[in-house]
Amino acid sequence: MQKPFSQIDELNKKDPALALAFSKKLLAEHHQQMTDFDKATIFSKMALHNLILGHYKVSQGLLDQAYALKVDLKTDTGISMLLTQGSIMDELGNSEQAMEKYLLAEKYAKANENSKLLAESYAYMAYSYSMNHKDTLALKHYHQAYLQLEKIGDELGLAYLKAEMANSYSLLFDDINAIKLATEASDYFKKHQYYFDELFVQNVLAKIHLRKKDYSKAEATYLRVIELTKENNKTEYVYLAYLGLADTYHRSQQHDKARIFWHKYKEVNPDYENPAAEIGAIVLAAKLEIADDNINAAIEALTRVEAILAPLGKHNALSWYIQLYDLQGKVAIIKEDYKTAYFKQEQARELLKIYYNTERETVRSKYKVMFDTDQAILTNKLLEQDKALNKAALENAVQQQKLQNMIIIIILLFVLVLFYFIYRQILNSKALQKIANTDTLTELANRRYTFIYAQKMLLQAIKAKQNFAMIIFDVDHFKQVNDSFGHAGGDIALKEISSTANEYVRAHDILGRIGGEEFLLILPEASSAQAYEIAERIRHAIEHKVIMVNSKPLQITASFGIAQLTDKQDSFKQLFNNADMALFQAKDQGRNQTVIANET
């Protein structure tokens, strides 16, 4: 059966639907002659084809038939079954159980020394981590898969991997690498006439453009997806493009076009088995209903989203919960239920902090992952060179002197390379330290570094019996800025505020961004009166600053809270809480003012 099984695999490269049809025919014609292991193998392959085509229930049924034949999971067929089983679990929201299957597959693939199945194990793990907002782990496992596929020269496997890696890079805001990888994969599939795979990688590329807010390129790419579905008789997947175009036009404020493609999508009406895909469609429906003031329909859609999200767990669906709370807040505002709106916006804001903290950690760690990968590749190459030299030495004793000279040269080269990588590591360490201590948007100190510096300076002030003060300030009504000018406008405003405030910071002070629109200024050797003077200067400068966003003027204000070191208030936590309470008082008294905390 090896020959027809190989034929199935070749057909799967072109189109899993063709492979599935051939598998069914093979099973029907040769069922009596097949061993149980052959039957399990073909059931496993058919399960994989159905998984790729999105038929998860059918895929699970075929796996159940394979399991019933008592296949040894340590075999190649058993490993493939584990990977398919894990992927079904992942798609249905059971990521923890899926990871157990992947780890078992990895263990058996290593024992079998099967590089291809080991690469597939890493790739499945990476995809699972990516779906659960663990993009650092995703990239690490993608690179492990990449090394295995590169070792065996599997160009098609590398193309699949690039398509998946593109999505992870996009989620890490590395759009340059994301587009590069997706384009390379698309070009490979097109060159080798793998049109089914080209269709899906074009859909990935369109999503990357959409995340970048490059709506014209997203539109063009989704239209290319429509062309591919027609050219290759795959119209059952045209809904991907219709849904993507509806989302693109909605985000670019072209609501009439958005509605046209939404209705096209509804006419196709795909039957989702994947909860994440279904949530994405319903969330877009809610956004469109809100845009058209169809509040009851929007509420109904969001209720469905809540029901689907409930069994997934908030930790594994952060981005969806953020969108859910944000949309529920918008509905509450339209209904003039401001208490509920405030509560929902607070929920969204808290989750957003968690999400962006996670994103910062992944961005910060990405460079270390890439550096570690480079080192692994170099080490492998050096080990291969050493093995070649040792073999040559044993086989060719006559050329001992020549080999000794060669070894000396290689050692010198190795030392040079080692010094180069030490130097490179020093540079990377400095770069990583800067990334770790810097807020990526404003280029101010981030929360972690600001707190560390504050505690260090506070201890010095206590020891030297010097003054020490801190200022917390927060932008007033910042949500209105985001609502009026978009998140891009809000980012521009935060950058301008940071630049303005930084003009009044002394050489040994430090200004950091510690939250979305919240900043902390540390003032060694300053009393509360001096801090008040600095805060007022910053407040006046912000109040009179005219910020241009998309050629429109924007003026905003900020509220300030001050606390200083005293005999009774001598810990960072106490000072921070006092300054925060003073800030709250400034907000409560009408905003755009400075309040000094009570020192008793």
Side-chain angles (χ1 to χ4, degrees):
M1 297 302 297
Q2 190 59 44
K3 185 175 180 180
F5 284 166
S6 297
Q7 193 172 349
I8 292 172
D9 294 338
E10 286 302 312
L11 285 171
N12 188 45
K13 294 177 184 178
K14 292 289 184 184
D15 187 337
L18 294 176
L20 182 60
F22 182 83
S23 299
K24 288 179 178 178
K25 182 180 178 183
L26 183 67
L27 184 63
E29 293 177 354
H30 300 281
H31 183 269
Q32 297 299 327
Q33 294 86 6
M34 287 183 179
T35 66
D36 283 352
F37 186 79
D38 289 337
K39 292 174 187 175
T41 300
I42 201 165
F43 284 141
S44 174
K45 290 181 183 294
M46 291 167 68
L48 175 61
H49 305 149
N50 278 284
L51 171 67
I52 297 170
L53 294 168
H55 306 148
Y56 306 125
K57 292 179 182 177
V58 176
S59 180
Q60 184 61 61
L62 289 162
L63 275 184
D64 290 341
Q65 292 184 67
Y67 282 128
L69 294 168
K70 308 296 183 184
V71 176
D72 183 356
L73 295 179
K74 295 180 181 179
T75 62
D76 290 354
T77 293
I79 295 169
S80 296
M81 289 166 58
L82 287 169
L83 292 174
T84 303
Q85 180 72 77
S87 187
I88 294 171
M89 291 173 170
D90 249 339
E91 296 294 347
L92 298 179
N94 301 319
S95 298
E96 291 182 3
Q97 295 177 21
M99 191 56 64
E100 292 176 5
K101 301 294 182 183
Y102 299 148
L103 290 170
L104 199 56
E106 176 198 13
K107 176 184 175 181
Y108 295 154
K110 283 182 177 178
N112 294 352
E113 297 183 354
N114 190 323
S115 295
K116 184 167 180 59
L117 285 175
L118 184 57
E120 289 181 13
S121 302
Y122 290 139
Y124 276 102
M125 288 185 205
Y127 179 73
S128 180
Y129 284 130
S130 181
M131 285 199 303
N132 290 287
H133 312 297
K134 298 175 182 177
D135 292 292
T136 301
L137 286 171
L139 276 180
K140 178 181 177 181
H141 284 79
Y142 276 134
H143 280 284
Q144 287 179 312
Y146 192 96
L147 290 175
Q148 294 297 324
L149 292 171
E150 190 177 48
K151 182 171 70 174
I152 60 177
D154 187 348
E155 292 185 357
L156 178 59
L158 287 170
Y160 289 143
L161 203 63
K162 287 177 181 179
E164 294 179 21
M165 289 173 71
N167 191 57
S168 275
Y169 274 105
S170 175
L171 292 171
L172 284 171
F173 312 113
D174 189 348
D175 297 314
I176 294 174
N177 270 323
I179 292 172
K180 175 178 175 291
L181 289 167
T183 304
E184 287 176 0
S186 179
D187 290 345
Y188 179 88
F189 294 141
K190 186 175 182 180
K191 178 181 176 181
H192 293 84
Q193 299 182 334
Y194 296 146
Y195 299 120
F196 180 86
D197 298 307
E198 185 190 357
L199 186 157
F200 281 93
V201 80
Q202 284 291 320
N203 189 58
V204 169
L205 189 57
K207 288 182 179 179
I208 294 169
H209 289 313
L210 196 56
R211 289 192 190 108
K212 282 184 64 185
K213 299 182 182 179
D214 194 339
Y215 301 126
S216 60
K217 286 186 179 178
E219 176 188 25
T221 311
Y222 278 126
L223 291 173
R224 173 59 181 156
V225 173
I226 293 175
E227 290 175 9
L228 286 169
T229 62
K230 292 177 180 177
E231 290 172 6
N232 301 287
N233 196 27
K234 292 293 176 186
T235 52
E236 66 268 30
Y237 297 109
V238 75
Y239 75 89
L240 294 170
Y242 289 159
L243 187 64
L245 285 167
D247 196 10
T248 301
Y249 291 132
H250 170 68
R251 295 192 194 195
S252 59
Q253 305 297 312
Q254 301 179 67
H255 296 299
D256 291 340
K257 285 187 176 181
R259 274 294 179 190
I260 290 170
F261 281 94
W262 175 253
H263 288 306
K264 285 179 177 286
Y265 164 77
K266 291 295 289 181
E267 288 171 4
V268 179
N269 194 26
D271 183 18
Y272 286 115
E273 295 184 40
N274 181 321
E278 185 177 4
I279 291 168
I282 302 173
V283 165
L284 179 57
K287 290 177 181 178
L288 294 172
E289 299 296 358
I290 291 172
D292 291 343
D293 290 329
N294 298 327
I295 302 306
N296 289 334
I299 292 171
E300 182 182 344
L302 293 176
T303 302
R304 288 172 60 200
V305 171
E306 268 190 308
I308 299 170
L309 282 175
L312 299 182
K314 193 169 291 185
H315 181 72
N316 292 327
L318 271 178
S319 59
W320 289 125
Y321 271 101
I322 291 167
Q323 292 189 61
L324 172 65
Y325 293 151
D326 183 58
L327 291 173
Q328 287 176 331
K330 288 180 180 179
V331 169
I333 289 172
I334 294 171
K335 294 175 68 179
E336 297 185 358
D337 182 359
Y338 298 112
K339 183 177 180 180
T340 300
Y342 177 80
F343 175 69
K344 290 295 178 182
Q345 288 165 1
E346 279 296 301
Q347 284 183 299
R349 182 178 173 184
E350 287 303 313
L351 289 184
L352 200 60
K353 286 180 181 178
I354 296 170
Y355 183 74
Y356 278 120
N357 282 341
T358 302
E359 290 302 315
R360 284 196 205 99
E361 289 300 323
T362 58
V363 171
R364 186 184 305 158
S365 301
K366 179 189 68 174
Y367 297 98
K368 186 178 186 305
V369 172
M370 296 299 293
F371 180 73
D372 289 346
T373 303
D374 288 343
Q375 283 188 315
I377 293 170
L378 176 65
T379 301
N380 287 339
K381 288 181 178 178
L382 288 172
L383 287 171
E384 289 171 5
Q385 289 175 0
D386 286 342
K387 287 179 182 178
L389 285 171
N390 290 333
K391 183 179 179 181
L394 291 171
E395 294 175 349
N396 236 327
V398 178
Q399 299 181 1
Q400 185 67 34
Q401 188 61 47
K402 182 179 178 180
L403 284 174
Q404 286 177 352
N405 293 337
M406 189 182 296
I407 291 169
I408 290 170
I409 292 171
I410 289 172
I411 291 172
L412 289 173
L413 287 174
F414 179 81
V415 170
L416 289 174
V417 170
L418 184 62
F419 275 114
Y420 166 76
F421 274 93
I422 290 172
Y423 174 72
R424 177 179 170 184
Q425 191 169 18
I426 291 169
L427 293 180
N428 279 350
S429 178
K430 290 181 178 178
L432 287 169
Q433 187 175 7
K434 183 178 179 182
I435 292 170
N437 295 335
T438 304
D439 175 66
T440 54
L441 175 65
T442 61
E443 296 185 353
L444 298 176
N446 60 18
R447 181 186 182 93
R448 185 185 68 86
Y449 183 76
T450 304
F451 281 17
I452 290 172
Y453 182 85
Q455 290 169 338
K456 178 182 176 183
M457 291 296 102
L458 177 61
L459 290 174
Q460 289 184 12
I462 293 171
K463 187 175 181 180
K465 296 183 179 180
Q466 295 174 334
N467 286 328
F468 179 92
M470 65 172 63
I471 302 171
I472 299 178
F473 65 95
D474 184 287
V475 180
D476 296 330
H477 302 297
F478 188 70
K479 184 183 182 302
Q480 294 178 7
V481 177
N482 282 332
D483 290 344
S484 302
F485 294 88
H487 289 288
D491 288 349
I492 292 171
L494 289 174
K495 288 180 183 178
E496 290 291 333
I497 290 168
S498 302
S499 177
T500 300
N502 221 13
E503 293 176 8
Y504 299 92
V505 175
R506 302 172 303 175
H508 56 291
D509 299 340
I510 186 168
L511 174 62
R513 181 182 177 211
I514 60 172
E517 64 271 16
E518 193 172 20
F519 300 82
L520 177 62
L521 176 55
I522 304 303
L523 303 167
E525 301 178 25
S527 64
S528 58
Q530 291 170 317
Y532 182 88
E533 184 176 343
I534 293 170
E536 280 296 283
R537 288 176 185 172
I538 296 173
R539 186 180 67 80
H540 283 295
I542 292 173
E543 183 181 10
H544 294 97
K545 177 79 173 180
V546 178
I547 301 169
M548 300 304 295
V549 180
N550 298 328
S551 303
K552 294 180 181 178
L554 166 66
Q555 283 187 280
I556 52 183
T557 61
S559 302
F560 295 70
I562 298 172
Q564 77 164 1
L565 172 65
T566 66
D567 291 338
K568 294 182 179 180
Q569 299 171 0
D570 60 354
S571 74
F572 172 78
K573 184 176 180 181
Q574 285 177 313
L575 291 178
F576 184 86
N577 288 340
N578 288 345
D580 199 40
M581 289 175 64
L583 170 61
F584 180 83
Q585 188 178 346
K587 293 280 189 182
D588 194 50
Q589 292 175 182
R591 295 181 169 82
N592 191 24
Q593 57 185 275
T594 302
V595 172
I596 300 175
N598 190 337
E599 298 177 3
T600 60

